[in-house]
Amino acid sequence: MKAGSRLEQLLTRGEFVATAELGPPKSADIQLIKRKAEILRGFADAVNITDNQTAIVRVSSVAAGKIALDEGLEPIIQMTCRDRNRLAMQADILGAYVLGLRNLLCLSGDHQSFGNHPQSKNVYDLDSIQLVQMFKNMRDEKVFQCGEEIRNTKKSEIMEPRMFLGVAANPFGDPFEFRVVRLAKKIKAGADFVQTQCIFDLPKFKRWMQMVVDQGLHEKVYILAGIMPIKSPKVLQYMKNNVAGMSIPDELIRRMEGAKDAKAEGVRICVELIQQAREIPGVRGVHIMAVEWEEIVPTIVKDAGLWPRPQVG
Amino acid sequence: MIVADQKDITEIIAMTEGYRNILVIGCDTCVTVCLAGGAKEVAILASGLRLAAKASGRQVEVHETSIERQCEKEFVDALHSAVKGQDLLISTGCGIGVQTIAEQFPQIPVVPALNTKMLGLPERQGVWVERCQACGQCILDKTGGICPISRCSKSLLNGPCGGSQNGKCEINKDIDCGWHLIYERLKALGRLACLEEIMPAKNWSTSRDGGPRKVIREDMCL
């Protein structure tokens, strides 16, 4: 075991895992974190705590993660390269670890021009691959990025943060052929698990997975397929036109438009996608991204036949 | 070259408030090429300032001059006689020009007429694009001659982020994804294997992050 988190234990055991997402509030509203945690408890093996999602300021992922942990969830702390340099990132992983957090997802982060501080100065001291490499070296080589051992004095004991490390992969970004190379680089850098961009274009995802399997990458990393429940055809259309790196088939938009109850249809699509993704060789779980619609996660998990969730220890 | 463009005229007019003898100083180098601060632009700016002064009933004398390079003290020294009697200098040079003039004539205030934008090239008539961020440690050998520091919006070093689509950057569909360009170039050169290597964390100490930079060529020093 690298970190011994519940997520790591279940994946190692061969369980088909389900992770979800908890977006921290845009205010100091601790109750919102607790309410979302209450909804998700028992329905996800681990929960991503987003980090200034879409470059909008929110409660920090480490702080919200600690609250979620106290509420009985297992958090996956997200960390973007946009807002911190290597000093802050290493300080935050030490901080997350001492608070009992055991999973961390390394991301480049959406550019700040999308968020509520477009005039801010971004950082990007490291990229996501260098970030996962730095954290892996902290865990396995027990050294900081500068090469110094992780201890207070030369005589004191080495105490490294031990995290199960995740990365994101977008099978729909361009250049398409490079996406598998990029995943291979992330694995080489030290990724233990991967959560993909949300999948609407199943054939393209299958093509990508085939390339992943052909290179044997699925045996080196646990791949969780990203799934997003959609409330209306308008949302899908918006994402198709405005969200970079998404592939959304028109057929899916037409299906949503034709539905009497769009929300229910969105859930049905989501459940079907989970079931189809489960059949794809190399897929070891799903990551359900119900952005600001956490209440739907229990229904999806139940309808997809993924409930109750397995226990550990 | 250094690319700059002129500030809004109202902003420049506001800087001249309270001054009577003003000298507008152009630069015949980069800012002339990018049509922002050469002799022609100096003339236009000076007449704009005269008109503005007249319209507001102020007594103002606006003089004009241009020198070869505002960034070099030897050239700036040639301004001594023109500067005499002026109580405000307006530089249409880049930020380096403004500061060189300020250093050479510390007794007279100097203000910038331009915003210095970037190190770039003229792409087509009237369009300039950024190509270098002067980070002090060039990696163009590894990236097919295309700079990811200046051409990737996130200055990533290990390939395009998830937002790259149809060869365009996630922040704007009119901006090329620098990493897509690198990928295509290396593919054409048969050097895609370069991209499989992990490029290590960059040493930014040679960039802005190392404090104000200085280049010393011992062999050239007198």
Side-chain angles (χ1 to χ4, degrees), chain A residues 81-99:
Chain A
C81 299
R82 178 193 56 232
D83 306 333
R84 302 171 184 78
N85 70 0
R86 63 193 83 176
L87 276 85
M89 287 169 149
Q90 292 178 99
D92 281 352
I93 194 178
L94 291 175
Y97 184 76
V98 298
L99 289 172

Side-chain angles (χ1 to χ4, degrees), chain A residues 199-200 227-233 236 252 255-257 259-274 288 293 296 299-300 303:
Chain A
I199 297 156
F200 295 105
I227 306 287
M228 180 184 273
I230 296 298
K231 284 180 179 173
S232 73
L236 265 187
L252 209 59
R255 181 172 159 189
M256 283 294 283
E257 280 167 349
K260 275 188 192 148
D261 181 343
K263 280 188 181 180
E265 192 68 8
V267 171
R268 266 195 295 277
I269 289 171
C270 200
V271 167
E272 286 170 26
L273 282 168
I274 292 175
I288 304 163
W293 195 18
I296 201 63
T299 308
I300 293 167
D303 290 0

Side-chain angles (χ1 to χ4, degrees), chain A residues 90-109:
Chain A
Q90 292 178 99
D92 281 352
I93 194 178
L94 291 175
Y97 184 76
V98 298
L99 289 172
L101 304 166
R102 294 293 179 264
N103 306 294
L104 200 139
L105 189 81
C106 302
L107 303 164
S108 304

Side-chain angles (χ1 to χ4, degrees), chain B residues 3-24:
Chain B
V3 183
D5 67 7
Q6 202 182 92
K7 286 178 178 285
D8 190 279
I9 183 86
T10 53
E11 191 184 343
I12 304 171
I13 291 167
M15 293 174 190
T16 66
E17 200 69 50
Y19 295 100
R20 289 179 65 97
N21 293 296
I22 297 169
L23 175 64
V24 185

Side-chain angles (χ1 to χ4, degrees), chain A residues 4-20:
Chain A
S5 69
R6 178 159 74 201
L7 181 65
E8 184 182 9
Q9 290 184 51
L10 291 175
L11 284 167
T12 312
R13 209 164 81 188
E15 302 281 358
F16 188 82
V17 309
T19 57

Side-chain angles (χ1 to χ4, degrees), chain A residues 286-299:
Chain A
V286 284
H287 174 52
I288 304 163
M289 286 172 270
V291 181
E292 296 305 312
W293 195 18
E294 282 87 350
E295 318 89 79
I296 201 63
V297 173
T299 308

